[in-house]
């Protein structure tokens, strides 16, 4: 696992956006797995800036959803499908037909299985962008999720619902209890997994991800099993890493052409 410590969220966003632009330069129709929430916003903003300058072309890119709330009415502004339309598809010029996501309207179990099949049929995810929950979830794989899990329905912890209440007028009662999420095993099939973490609230989870034991108690620790996993953390999120000095020296000595 590579750990890159950046000054702040904007620098992290720029670094990840460059990695996506570089991937697209070599493979214009790459399948990019996208997360929602606050953390990836600087990535999407930096990517939009690169696209405006002609340094990233997303016109042939394909985009795959990581997770989705269950139970919100169709078109709800906080459904992740709506959020991704606002933050990714529209500003980055990704055609609607290039979007892959689970169908939450009908038979949920069938939709989850169909989504895993659709990801595989699309050739698999080239780069999966992840945030991290304060409890160590990736996607919405809450603590004690199987590390080999597939896309399925999950129940959010009360901590995650409280964390996400800010998107629902600070009313935790409005936050859905159930979600569909790519499983940990599904996520690990992406060719490159990039986890971005920003802010002090993520410091404990980042330390558990990188330096803790491999354990379903902290689902993000499964990234230790991935041959190409990159954790990009700002100073605050990296503040509990015992090996921070080593990670800083390693990245500083890396030739720029190598990227992340
Ligand atoms: C959302 C997702 C979640 C978030 C996590 C952190 O698609 O997959 O794992 O990344 O809950 O959320 P923020 O970034 O809002 O702190």
């Amino acid at each position: 696992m590579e750990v890159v410590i950046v000054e702040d969220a904007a620098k992290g966003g720029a670094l990840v956006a460059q990695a996506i632009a570089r991937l697209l330069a070599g493979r214009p129709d790459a399948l990019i797995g996208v997360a929602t929430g606050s953390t990836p916003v600087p990535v999407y903003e930096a990517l939009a800036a690169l696209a405006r300058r002609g340094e990233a072309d997303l016109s042939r890119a394909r985009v795959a959803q990581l997770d989705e709330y269950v139970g919100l009415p169709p078109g709800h502004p906080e459904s992740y499908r709506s959020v991704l339309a606002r933050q990714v598809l529209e500003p980055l010029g990704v055609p609607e037909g290039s979007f892959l996501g689970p169908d939450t309207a009908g038979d949920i179990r069938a939709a989850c299985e169909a989504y895993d099949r659709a990801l595989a049929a699309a050739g698999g995810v080239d780069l999966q962008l992840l945030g991290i929950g304060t409890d160590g979830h990736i996607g919405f794989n809450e603590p004690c999720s199987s590390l080999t899990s597939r896309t399925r329905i999950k129940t959010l912890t009360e901590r995650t619902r409280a964390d996400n209440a800010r998107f629902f007028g600070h009313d935790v009662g409005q936050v859905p209890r159930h979600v569909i999420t790519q499983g940990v095993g599904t996520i690990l099939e992406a060719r490159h997994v990039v986890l971005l973490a920003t802010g002090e609230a993520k410091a404990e989870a980042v330390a558990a991800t990188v330096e803790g034991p491999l354990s379903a108690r902290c689902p993000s620790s499964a990234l230790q099993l991935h041959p190409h996993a990159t954790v990009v953390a700002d100073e605050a999120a990296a503040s509990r890493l015992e090996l921070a000095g080593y990670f800083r020296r390693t990245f500083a000595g890396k030739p720029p052409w190598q990227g992340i």
Side-chain angles (χ1 to χ4, degrees), residues 2 22 249-260:
E2 176 175 40
R22 180 190 289 243
R249 283 192 301 280
T250 303
F251 190 66
K254 199 173 171 184
W257 56 262
Q258 223 176 345
I260 56 171

Side-chain angles (χ1 to χ4, degrees), residues 167-189:
F167 297 114
F168 292 86
H170 296 276
D171 178 0
V172 74
Q174 298 299 311
V175 182
R177 293 179 186 280
H178 295 112
V179 290
I180 287 177
T181 181
Q182 284 190 31
V184 178
T186 315
I187 291 169
L188 291 181
E189 282 172 5

Side-chain angles (χ1 to χ4, degrees), residues 129-196:
L129 175 58
L130 299 173
I132 185 170
T134 54
D135 60 4
H137 69 231
I138 48 173
F140 275 133
N141 294 282
E142 294 286 29
C144 301
S145 288
S146 158
L147 300 186
T148 62
S149 49
R150 313 299 304 171
T151 300
R152 69 217 182 288
I153 191 165
K154 287 291 288 183
T155 301
L156 294 179
T157 62
E158 289 311 302
R159 181 171 174 182
T160 299
R161 292 183 72 226
D163 285 347
N164 285 7
R166 67 191 191 281
F167 297 114
F168 292 86
H170 296 276
D171 178 0
V172 74
Q174 298 299 311
V175 182
R177 293 179 186 280
H178 295 112
V179 290
I180 287 177
T181 181
Q182 284 190 31
V184 178
T186 315
I187 291 169
L188 291 181
E189 282 172 5
R191 284 181 268 283
H192 184 192
V193 179
V194 179
L195 186 150
L196 180 61

Side-chain angles (χ1 to χ4, degrees), residues 94-115:
V94 177
E96 181 76 25
S98 302
F99 179 81
L100 282 176
D103 175 11
T104 55
D107 177 339
I108 296 284
R109 185 175 296 179
C112 292
E113 289 171 5
Y115 190 47

Side-chain angles (χ1 to χ4, degrees), residues 35-39 66-67 80 131-133 137-140 166-167 202:
T36 38
S38 304
T39 309
L66 178 60
D67 43 18
Y80 283 168
I132 185 170
H137 69 231
I138 48 173
F140 275 133
R166 67 191 191 281
F167 297 114
K202 305 293 174 68

Side-chain angles (χ1 to χ4, degrees), residues 176-258:
R177 293 179 186 280
H178 295 112
V179 290
I180 287 177
T181 181
Q182 284 190 31
V184 178
T186 315
I187 291 169
L188 291 181
E189 282 172 5
R191 284 181 268 283
H192 184 192
V193 179
V194 179
L195 186 150
L196 180 61
T198 52
E200 164 68 23
K202 305 293 174 68
E204 196 184 324
V206 167
T209 303
V210 175
E211 297 172 342
L214 173 65
S215 167
R217 182 70 182 82
C218 177
S220 51
S221 67
L223 298 192
Q224 295 173 15
L225 293 170
H226 196 283
H228 191 187
T230 309
V231 173
V232 178
D234 71 358
E235 291 289 350
S239 59
R240 301 217 189 145
L241 288 172
E242 289 175 8
L243 296 175
Y246 169 67
F247 297 136
R248 284 183 216 280
R249 283 192 301 280
T250 303
F251 190 66
K254 199 173 171 184
W257 56 262
Q258 223 176 345

